[in-house]
Amino acid sequence: MKTGKLKTIIRIIASAVVVVLVLTFLTLLLTPKFMSGVTEGAMIAEFYDEEMCHDVVFVGDCELYENISPVTLWENYGISSYIRGSAQQLIWQSYYLMEDTLRYEKPDVFVFNVLSMKYNTPQKETYNRMTLDGMRWSSSKIESINASMLPEEHFIEYVFPILRFHSRWNDLTEDDINYLIDKDKVSHNGYYMRVDSKPVSKIPNGMPLGDYTFGDNAMYYLDKMVELCHKNNVELVLVKAPSLFPVWYPEWDAQIEKFASAHKIKYYNLLDCADTIGIDWNTDTYDAGLHLNLSGATKTSVFLGQILRDECHIKDHRGDPYYEKIWAPKIDFYYEDIEEQKIKYNITDN
Amino acid sequence: MLFTSYNFIAFLSAVIILYWLIPRKARWVLLLVADMVFYYFSKTTALPVNLIYLVSTIVSTYIFTNLITRNANKEKAYLKANKESLDKETKKKYKEQQKAVRRRLLIGSIVVNIGMLAVVKYTNFTISNINSIMGVLGSAHRLTFVDIAVPMGISYYIFQTVGYSIDCYRGKTEAQKNIFKLALFASFFPQLVQGPISRYDDLAPALFESKEFDFKYISYGLQRILWGFFKKLVIADRLLTAVTTIIKDTETYNGLFVVLGMLFYAIELYCDFTGGIDITIGAAEALGIPLKENFIRPYFSKTLKEFWNRWHITMGTWFTDYIFYPLSVSKFMLNLNRSSRKHLGDKIGKRVPVYTATIIVWFATGIWHGASWNFIVWGLGNCLVLLISQELEPFYRFFHSKTKVNGTRIWDAVRIIRTMLIVSSLRLFDCYRDVPLTFKMFGSIFTDKAVINKETLMGLGLEPTDYIVVLIGVIIVFVVSLIGRSGSVRDKISTIPYWGKFAIWFGLFLIVLIFGQYGIGYAASQFIYNQF
């Protein structure tokens, strides 16, 4: 090969390397880190760091990731679980997260929170990004993006996030440097913990709706969930988590009950069981009824764990060294976080 | 399909790759298909309506120009065959008869095409004026406005095809016998939405006879496109927010803010329009097709006349070649010349036809920009300044001879600033789009005392960092313009060592990527000149 040609090839390769390195660095720098403030955006990606040995995987929105504590399920029932939840997670996003989960492991049960049935079309770009950016690339992610995009969104902005987040050059913080490559854990197996409390002051009556029928698209994905679980021999359990807002209408509940009964799947409306669970709306919520705090989530998890153990026959892994080894650091982190939050919110033990 | 959209980038990339891969003979067909795809995905009105206008222009121009050329060829053949038998007088008479036939054909072509443009662009403007007149006359009757959407690029493709028809009539060019090739000339996608307005003789050879592949076409084309993106996305679209805020809130932003708005709009319009043209020329260049430059550093102009020789050049020369000159030598103007000289004397009389033609051209230029009085007043305002400058020419010569300032750097700078002020002041008609309001806001510069400080600047919708980006961007554009005075900047860059070139172009790419105003959070901003 002539020297000139070789020189050109070396230049092209060197230029390509520089381009890739610079663009990768800028992408890492400009993409939001979600390490403080709104940390929900970092939760979906955390799943991939897990040891894939979950009996139960929860999929759904904030009603799951703020109301169920996997550590409680472990401590009380030896259930190994994970919540693949994100803010306003739409049903098709939950479906594709189930598909995605099945690439890595096969849980015994998928628990889906049905609140997102109220949404039939994509809602907010911000929430889309928080759910979708954290997913690893696969056909499920591609299909989830296509199903979720709003008219103003472009697929290429998911492929190259710098196209979406380029304007953050003006809002960079220390976090963007500190968490350029490695990120802290922000959740406890997908659970977003809050120890503070804010009592419910008013229980709202929902505005009457013109039509209570769930949309075609939402129903289509609910059918797909049933099919996916059936095909993979995973039990699907539907729940309505105990949150007072947004309103869960009896008409919606009836449709879910009818669907569950028709498909012979379990459905538990935990909001209706709030008294049995023992939720005290004065002390067990941190935002006046939208989401539960640690106390409420612990009670709900104890209640739900019993169902999972008794009705779904999930095995107790306590005492199994493999599982104990996995859960020990998680429990330490859990209680450290509780203590830190108590200091942060100035909470003293009575 | 906006030039700054992902779709356009993907579309253009595909066209460039395919264009250089397929056999040369088939390339013009690919371009025609690309035109149709581009037109389909850029539809601003329902597609059939959009296409009907374009197809009508192509078909009518094809028929009329071919009849014109056929007549001219018939004339030539007849005269050649009867060279010996016809006397001079008979030949002359025959030529005049044939020319009259061709003129009628040309008029037919112009009536169809300009008529179409007039109907879609000026019907509602005409109705609005008729209604106003009826109101003044005390009539309660009002005409109803019609719902006509202006098809994309109609002003550009009609001007281009009308120019071609006139060239055929003048015997400057032969009519294109292949209607699909004519369609390609009329609808070449890079220039379809905002020009430049090309001439058939310049564009057609490059469109129909593709060149051998040379990587320089692609690299130079992409460099030019990148430069266009820089001006449009980093500077123009950033300033758009501030300009819009100043224009929309006339109560708050008067006085010095009007001057600030003039400055910002001057920068925004320049970067928007020249940025768009850079993308156009770059896209064509990447296909090995050279297009005429539409701007030559217009803000370095020392007079308004010079400015108009450097700004939107292809539009200016179109009006000069196809309206001003024919009008100046028309029978009507010759009669007007004779009559005015007779009644007003030689000195004043000779000016009447020139003034009349100039006023008509500037009226047409104004109304071409938009069907509203603000554009007409803007056009006539330019005309007025040009005519006054012309009349004051002896005074300037006298002044220059006495002061010896002419040619000095300071005097050149004064003249450049003066020209900028005139251009920007006249553009207020474009900004406010309302003639009385424009005069009011211009007057407020001298009467109102709005305060410009950090706080009020922040109120314009830009952050301090945005002002810094704009400032640096403008400095870059200015420096590049200065360097460009002594030849192509890209040629100069191409001579520097590889890693220097790489740093410049990759650096520019990163600037556009990071600081460009695009994506979610930014409303995709249409190019200003797409509207015309």
Side-chain angles (χ1 to χ4, degrees):
Chain A
M1 195 183 284
K2 284 182 183 170
T3 326
K5 233 179 186 177
L6 184 70
K7 208 174 159 185
T8 308
I9 292 170
I10 292 170
R11 269 181 185 170
I12 291 170
I13 294 170
S15 306
V17 170
V18 172
V19 168
V20 170
L21 286 178
V22 172
L23 291 181
T24 306
F25 169 76
L26 287 171
T27 303
L28 289 171
L29 180 70
L30 293 166
T31 306
K33 310 297 181 292
F34 300 109
M35 287 292 107
S36 50
V38 181
T39 56
E40 286 97 318
M43 282 169 21
I44 290 290
E46 287 187 349
F47 172 75
Y48 302 105
D49 301 331
E50 280 286 295
E51 191 72 28
M52 298 300 176
C53 59
H54 304 116
D55 306 309
V56 180
V57 173
F58 296 88
V59 285
D61 49 22
C62 54
E63 285 199 354
L64 275 186
Y65 71 73
E66 302 199 37
N67 292 2
I68 307 288
S69 164
V71 170
T72 306
L73 289 175
W74 169 256
E75 286 182 327
N76 289 273
Y77 304 100
I79 294 173
S80 173
S81 66
Y82 198 93
I83 304 167
R84 298 205 75 184
S86 51
Q88 205 184 64
Q89 188 172 296
L90 303 164
I91 180 165
W92 44 93
Q93 294 169 345
S94 296
Y95 169 78
Y96 289 114
L97 280 171
M98 284 163 75
E99 256 191 22
D100 185 59
T101 306
L102 289 167
R103 285 171 211 283
Y104 299 93
E105 62 177 347
K106 203 173 104 175
D108 295 331
V109 174
F110 272 125
V111 178
F112 170 62
N113 185 53
V114 291
L115 178 70
S116 62
M117 287 298 293
K118 65 188 268 194
Y119 299 115
N120 197 45
T121 52
Q123 299 293 308
K124 270 190 179 173
E125 190 262 346
T126 318
Y127 291 141
N128 280 349
R129 300 293 321 202
M130 286 164 76
T131 305
L132 300 165
D133 281 339
M135 283 178 80
R136 277 192 188 158
W137 280 100
S138 66
S139 59
S140 301
K141 174 163 177 164
I142 292 169
E143 287 179 52
S144 192
I145 292 170
N146 284 328
S148 305
M149 277 194 301
L150 289 153
E152 65 268 25
E153 289 188 79
H154 300 277
F155 187 83
I156 196 169
E157 290 177 348
Y158 285 93
V159 181
F160 302 108
I162 193 169
L163 295 173
R164 167 62 185 90
F165 298 115
H166 66 98
S167 54
R168 286 194 69 247
W169 64 270
N170 207 13
D171 305 314
L172 292 177
T173 64
E174 270 182 25
D175 272 7
D176 291 298
I177 307 292
N178 296 340
Y179 300 106
L180 196 67
I181 296 166
D182 286 324
K183 295 190 176 63
D184 290 343
K185 274 230 174 287
V186 295
S187 78
H188 303 277
N189 272 35
Y191 168 57
Y192 174 84
M193 182 198 289
R194 284 289 292 264
V195 301
D196 52 324
S197 64
K198 184 180 175 186
V200 175
S201 54
K202 197 171 117 185
I203 298 176
N205 291 316
M207 292 279 284
L209 304 181
D211 184 6
Y212 292 89
T213 317
F214 290 130
D216 291 346
N217 199 33
M219 288 306 295
Y220 169 75
Y221 278 99
L222 191 59
D223 282 331
K224 271 177 84 84
M225 278 184 178
V226 174
E227 199 182 317
L228 180 75
C229 289
H230 180 72
K231 206 170 132 191
N232 287 280
N233 200 22
V234 179
E235 184 172 6
L236 178 65
V237 173
L238 305 179
V239 294
K240 166 65 190 87
S243 286
L244 296 175
F245 313 94
V247 173
W248 180 250
Y249 294 94
E251 291 85 349
W252 288 350
D253 200 57
Q255 284 173 76
I256 295 294
E257 270 190 5
K258 193 176 165 193
F259 180 90
S261 151
H263 291 83
K264 296 186 172 54
I265 52 181
K266 298 182 179 83
Y267 169 54
Y268 302 98
N269 184 336
L270 303 179
L271 182 60
D272 283 353
C273 308
D275 291 340
T276 318
I277 294 169
I279 290 174
D280 179 344
W281 293 110
N282 287 316
T283 58
D284 292 340
T285 164
Y286 75 88
D287 52 6
L290 253 83
H291 308 103
L292 301 179
N293 58 17
L294 178 66
S295 164
T298 306
K299 290 176 187 173
T300 308
S301 304
V302 169
F303 182 83
L304 186 62
Q306 211 169 354
I307 293 172
L308 290 168
R309 184 194 61 195
D310 300 341
E311 306 289 327
C312 302
H313 314 292
I314 305 295
K315 203 177 160 189
D316 185 345
H317 296 294
R318 283 175 294 182
D320 182 333
Y322 172 72
Y323 284 91
E324 291 287 356
K325 196 179 163 196
I326 292 167
W327 279 94
K330 291 175 187 290
I331 291 166
D332 291 344
F333 173 47
Y334 190 73
Y335 287 104
E336 277 167 24
D337 197 9
I338 291 173
E339 292 311 313
E340 277 175 24
Q341 286 206 28
K342 278 182 178 170
I343 295 164
K344 183 180 170 186
Y345 295 109
N346 200 19
I347 295 165
T348 48
D349 292 319
N350 293 323
Chain B
M1 202 186 305
L2 201 63
F3 276 2
T4 49
S5 66
Y6 300 125
N7 288 345
F8 180 74
I9 294 168
F11 165 77
L12 182 63
S13 308
V15 171
I16 293 171
I17 293 166
L18 280 175
Y19 184 82
W20 292 113
L21 283 179
I22 63 173
R24 285 169 72 178
K25 277 186 178 176
R27 286 178 187 164
W28 74 269
V29 181
L30 172 76
L31 290 183
L32 184 61
V33 172
D35 292 346
M36 295 305 124
V37 172
F38 178 80
Y39 209 67
Y40 176 80
F41 285 106
S42 305
K43 55 183 185 270
T44 48
T45 54
L47 185 66
V49 178
N50 232 359
L51 266 182
I52 283 168
Y53 291 109
L54 181 61
V55 170
S56 303
T57 295
I58 293 164
V59 171
S60 64
T61 304
Y62 176 78
I63 293 169
F64 283 116
T65 54
N66 273 280
L67 287 174
I68 288 169
T69 295
R70 191 194 288 175
N71 178 278
N73 290 338
K74 193 181 104 186
E75 180 190 303
K76 265 185 219 160
Y78 177 80
L79 290 173
K80 195 178 173 186
N82 300 284
K83 198 177 174 184
E84 305 298 324
S85 60
L86 296 175
D87 59 38
K88 208 178 167 185
E89 201 56 36
T90 318
K91 275 184 194 172
K92 194 181 167 190
K93 203 176 165 191
Y94 176 74
K95 277 184 183 176
E96 276 170 9
Q97 276 174 350
Q98 296 310 311
K99 197 176 178 186
V101 171
R102 291 198 293 275
R103 188 180 297 129
R104 280 197 291 274
L105 289 167
L106 175 66
I107 290 169
S109 175
I110 291 173
V111 166
V112 170
N113 286 292
I114 299 291
M116 212 151 52
L117 181 66
V119 168
V120 295
K121 273 186 86 170
Y122 306 111
T123 302
N124 283 330
F125 178 58
T126 310
I127 290 172
S128 155
N129 286 304
I130 291 170
N131 284 344
S132 300
I133 292 167
M134 288 201 295
V136 170
L137 296 176
S139 165
H141 185 71
R142 293 287 181 274
L143 299 175
T144 314
F145 288 104
V146 289
D147 183 17
I148 307 179
V150 180
M152 187 186 79
I154 190 165
S155 299
Y156 292 99
Y157 66 69
I158 283 191
F159 267 44
Q160 196 155 298
T161 48
V162 166
Y164 160 72
S165 299
I166 296 171
D167 285 348
C168 286
Y169 168 76
R170 287 173 178 169
K172 203 179 152 200
T173 189
E174 286 245 326
Q176 173 55 252
K177 289 188 172 57
N178 185 333
I179 192 168
F180 296 107
K181 286 190 173 178
L182 180 64
L184 173 59
F185 166 70
S187 62
F188 183 45
F189 72 88
Q191 57 169 56
L192 189 61
V193 286
Q194 56 180 3
I197 303 164
S198 295
R199 304 295 171 92
Y200 185 81
D201 284 355
D202 295 328
L203 184 59
L207 283 178
F208 308 143
E209 289 154 32
S210 175
K211 293 172 183 159
E212 280 284 349
F213 175 75
D214 185 341
F215 187 70
K216 192 181 169 187
Y217 293 133
I218 293 183
S219 64
Y220 266 43
L222 296 184
Q223 289 164 10
R224 186 81 188 250
I225 290 171
L226 190 59
W227 182 236
F229 278 150
F230 169 71
K231 286 196 271 185
K232 167 72 176 161
L233 295 175
V234 178
I235 305 174
D237 284 357
R238 190 164 256 109
L239 278 177
L240 175 69
T241 318
V243 172
T244 311
T245 309
I246 292 173
I247 292 167
K248 297 285 175 208
D249 187 356
T250 53
E251 288 299 314
T252 310
Y253 298 110
N254 47 35
L256 276 180
F257 276 104
V258 178
V259 180
L260 189 70
M262 278 160 56
L263 174 69
F264 282 178
Y265 189 57
I267 299 167
E268 186 214 339
L269 187 63
Y270 173 79
C271 289
D272 186 282
F273 195 11
T274 63
I277 290 293
D278 285 331
I279 298 169
T280 296
I281 292 177
E285 209 171 353
L287 299 164
I289 297 165
L291 292 180
K292 285 269 180 197
E293 289 295 339
N294 218 19
F295 298 90
I296 304 173
R297 294 171 290 284
Y299 289 161
F300 288 0
S301 305
K302 298 185 193 82
T303 63
L304 187 62
K305 190 180 172 190
E306 188 189 351
F307 174 83
W308 280 111
N309 287 331
R310 289 162 167 262
W311 178 277
H312 209 346
I313 298 164
T314 56
M315 182 202 68
T317 52
W318 194 96
F319 276 108
T320 306
D321 291 349
Y322 299 118
I323 295 187
F324 184 79
Y325 289 146
L327 203 60
S328 300
V329 296
S330 67
K331 216 178 256 178
F332 168 76
M333 283 298 176
L334 294 175
N335 289 337
L336 183 67
N337 189 18
R338 269 194 295 273
S339 160
S340 55
R341 276 172 189 255
K342 191 178 161 189
H343 292 102
L344 302 167
D346 264 4
K347 202 178 171 186
I348 299 174
K350 71 177 181 186
R351 287 177 163 81
V352 174
V354 179
Y355 278 27
T356 309
T358 310
I359 290 167
I360 290 171
V361 165
W362 279 102
F363 178 88
T365 306
I367 206 162
W368 180 86
H369 278 81
S372 56
W373 281 104
N374 65 293
F375 284 115
I376 294 170
V377 175
W378 166 81
L380 295 176
N382 274 281
C383 178
L384 183 69
V385 176
L386 287 169
L387 292 176
I388 290 172
S389 305
Q390 200 174 303
E391 289 304 323
L392 291 176
E393 201 56 46
F395 167 75
Y396 292 141
R397 274 200 299 273
F398 173 76
F399 176 75
H400 291 151
S401 70
K402 291 290 172 195
T403 57
K404 312 285 183 204
V405 290
N406 203 22
T408 61
R409 285 194 171 197
I410 293 175
W411 186 239
D412 283 351
V414 169
R415 295 176 76 194
I416 287 170
I417 293 167
R418 179 199 58 183
T419 306
M420 266 291 283
L421 284 173
I422 292 169
V423 169
S424 300
S425 302
L426 287 166
R427 276 195 191 133
L428 287 177
F429 289 107
D430 179 17
C431 290
Y432 291 106
R433 310 243 158 159
D434 179 304
V435 178
L437 178 64
T438 304
F439 281 114
K440 185 186 157 197
M441 297 314 292
F442 185 75
S444 82
I445 296 172
F446 308 99
T447 54
D448 292 340
K449 287 181 180 136
V451 180
I452 297 180
N453 54 31
K454 196 181 169 192
E455 199 176 294
T456 49
L457 280 176
M458 293 306 106
L460 298 179
L462 299 185
E463 293 184 30
T465 43
D466 287 318
Y467 285 105
I468 293 168
V469 170
V470 167
L471 183 67
I472 294 170
V474 169
I475 291 170
I476 292 172
V477 171
F478 180 70
V479 170
V480 169
S481 296
L482 282 178
I483 297 168
R485 289 190 304 178
S486 57
S488 161
V489 177
R490 285 175 295 170
D491 281 346
K492 285 174 185 162
I493 293 174
S494 71
T495 59
I496 63 179
Y498 177 79
W499 287 107
K501 274 187 288 195
F502 176 81
I504 290 172
W505 293 117
F506 186 50
L508 185 63
F509 170 76
L510 290 179
I511 290 173
V512 174
L513 185 72
I514 307 293
F515 301 108
Q517 303 265 90
Y518 63 90
I520 304 266
Y522 302 110
S525 167
Q526 184 73 274
F527 283 88
I528 295 171
Y529 262 74
N530 285 13
Q531 307 158 31
F532 308 131

